[in-house]
Amino acid sequence: MSGILSGIKLQETGYDDYVIYEKADRLGGTWRENRYAGVACDVPSHLYSYAFAPNPNWSHRFSPGAEIQAYFEKVAHDYGVEERIRFEEEVTRCEFKDGRWQLETSKGSSDEVDFVIAATGVLHHPNLPPIEGLDKFEGECFHTARWDHSVPLAGRRVGVIGTGSTAIQITGALADQVEHFTLFQRTPQWIMPQDNPAYTEAEREEFRKHPERMKELRDSIAAMFADNFATAVVDSSSPLLDQIESLCRQNLEDSVSDPELREKLRPNYRAGCKRLIMSDRFYQALQQPNAELVTEAIERIEPNGVRTSDGRLRELDVLVIATGFRVDRFMRPMDVIGRDGVQLEEAWADRPAAYLSVTIPDFPNFYMLNGPNGPVGNFSLIDVADLQLGYILQLVEKVASGACSEISAEAVALQAFEEERVKAAANTVWVTGCNSWYLDDRGIPAVWPWTFHRFRERMASPDWSAYEMVG
Ligand code: N01
């Protein structure tokens, strides 16, 4: 998503000499890799689209993953970006030498470039749980982002470990398609009811004829997100969080009839603390006669199933690992070496950090989209990347105009930003008593702890005093 966006915007701004490296044989990022049953985006489709490429043909308010993948393929094709992608060519090393970046790729080529934009994603590297015996399972076993579509599921016993957004979607889509479905839950989730109507052909025709209607719709959804949810999550005393919680509680009461199951599904932390989940099918799916929710802790995986702390073994044919992602990896395992031989691994020895989520001291002319500590989880990542790119292009322009030849954040600017960020993070809903991928190794949210409005303001133009400009 952000790589395609970069190509389009670079082209538009007149920087036509660019290359996009893609490790896979197909574009699409998240939507190429996540093809599990039920995959969809919980940001409304008219917001989860590039502002400059509205799509009148979205099938639903929240469209399925395959449609989103097709959208990115079409945009990349229509804007002439596809032909600029070097597929199956992973950048393995990136070193800043004599004022330029030397790139090495998996195909053995060495390229030299002035700027690097790392558009490598966040929720990307599968997190495999350290559960004893996982490698001993004799049935089929895969992580949700590595779904093996050759494995038949109908008529088989399928188990899913995890209850994040991914597992909830899978449960909704798969439970009634298999012989027996078992969901292993470590922590219950708050579930918001989701209304996901299909757009009628008349509505789509209206969007085609009047693209301004799509813009109005997009703007209104964006304003609603920014003013409501994205503002509430950074203020743990927000009354909106109470309203969300009561909607979720009502959803649980209304949807789950068995009191025992209801209690197993009831979270004991504040709604919004973990990534809020929306679903109109999860509770219904779990109440199918062939579905089972297991809340006892997993003790180990055995060759034919999962053994829990009560001593019971659930025999399974297929085990799906829905345990999320290692969100501190970013562009790694790429070897990144900045000015004077400084290694990214050293710069990030404690944990990833970047000034305004975009630039790292001593890594001049190297910028990130959806890098560390950005507003991931509060808004559409497309608009986040779009704003970041607009900011990055102003840094690039500084060099292109001859004002300097190298530009990156000052170390003191990053330090001050981090101090301010950590302080603000204490007010967010993410620290109100739950565990989630938002938290770093210290338990401090690794995401933008301010409003989206503030993010937009900070991205509008760089504060040049925060920058080290050389040459
Ligand atoms: O991953 P997660 P995800 N034993 O990290 C459990 C986006 N997304 O792939 O809560 C047992 O959220 C863990 O349990 P606990 C969205 O931003 C969006 O589901 O830590 N269980 C948790 O239940 C989302 O937040 C969409 O106790 C273990 C689960 O695994 C992000 O991607 C759809 C365990 C991990 O949940 C990641 O979602 C899908 C263990 N050892 C994804 N280790 C939409 O747009 C972990 N768990 C709708």
Side-chain angles (χ1 to χ4, degrees), residues 31 36 40-43 123 127 129-131 144 161-167 169 184 186-187 189 274-275 298 322-325 377 435 437-438:
W31 308 102
Y36 56 80
C41 185
D42 59 6
V43 174
L123 297 156
N127 169 43
I131 301 177
T144 52
I161 301 179
T163 49
S165 305
T166 304
Q169 288 185 331
F184 295 92
R186 187 163 70 178
T187 314
Q189 290 275 7
K274 284 174 181 285
R275 158 80 180 226
I298 296 175
T323 48
F325 299 87
N435 187 25
W437 62 264
Y438 293 141

Side-chain angles (χ1 to χ4, degrees), residues 134-198:
L134 189 57
D135 54 339
K136 307 270 175 358
F137 184 64
E138 284 176 356
E140 277 109 357
C141 178
F142 41 80
H143 184 271
T144 52
R146 299 283 182 274
W147 199 279
D148 184 346
H149 290 271
S150 69
V151 172
L153 299 174
R156 307 186 77 197
R157 298 162 301 177
V158 177
V160 173
I161 301 179
T163 49
S165 305
T166 304
I168 302 295
Q169 288 185 331
I170 291 171
T171 303
L174 209 59
D176 61 358
Q177 306 290 311
V178 301
E179 183 190 301
H180 195 266
F181 183 88
T182 310
L183 181 65
F184 295 92
Q185 168 185 284
R186 187 163 70 178
T187 314
Q189 290 275 7
W190 286 114
I191 313 278
M192 276 276 279
Q194 186 184 42
D195 191 20
N196 189 17

Side-chain angles (χ1 to χ4, degrees), residues 353-362 373 391 395 407-422 448 450 454 458 462-469:
Y355 175 66
L356 290 178
S357 161
V358 162
T359 148
I360 314 166
D362 289 326
N373 318 129
Y391 183 93
L395 303 178
I407 181 164
S408 53
E410 293 270 12
V412 288
L414 173 57
Q415 197 187 336
F417 171 73
E418 277 298 280
E419 283 167 10
E420 210 190 346
R421 190 182 68 72
V422 165
W448 184 260
W450 301 286
R454 174 155 166 170
R458 296 303 302 271
D463 167 5
W464 299 111
S465 69
Y467 280 91
E468 183 184 12
M469 297 181 227

Side-chain angles (χ1 to χ4, degrees), residues 94-97 101 336-344 362-364:
C94 230
E95 181 169 7
F96 192 70
K97 249 193 199 159
W101 284 96
V336 187
I337 301 139
R339 188 188 279 144
D340 303 328
V342 55
Q343 307 263 348
L344 183 71
D362 289 326
F363 292 77

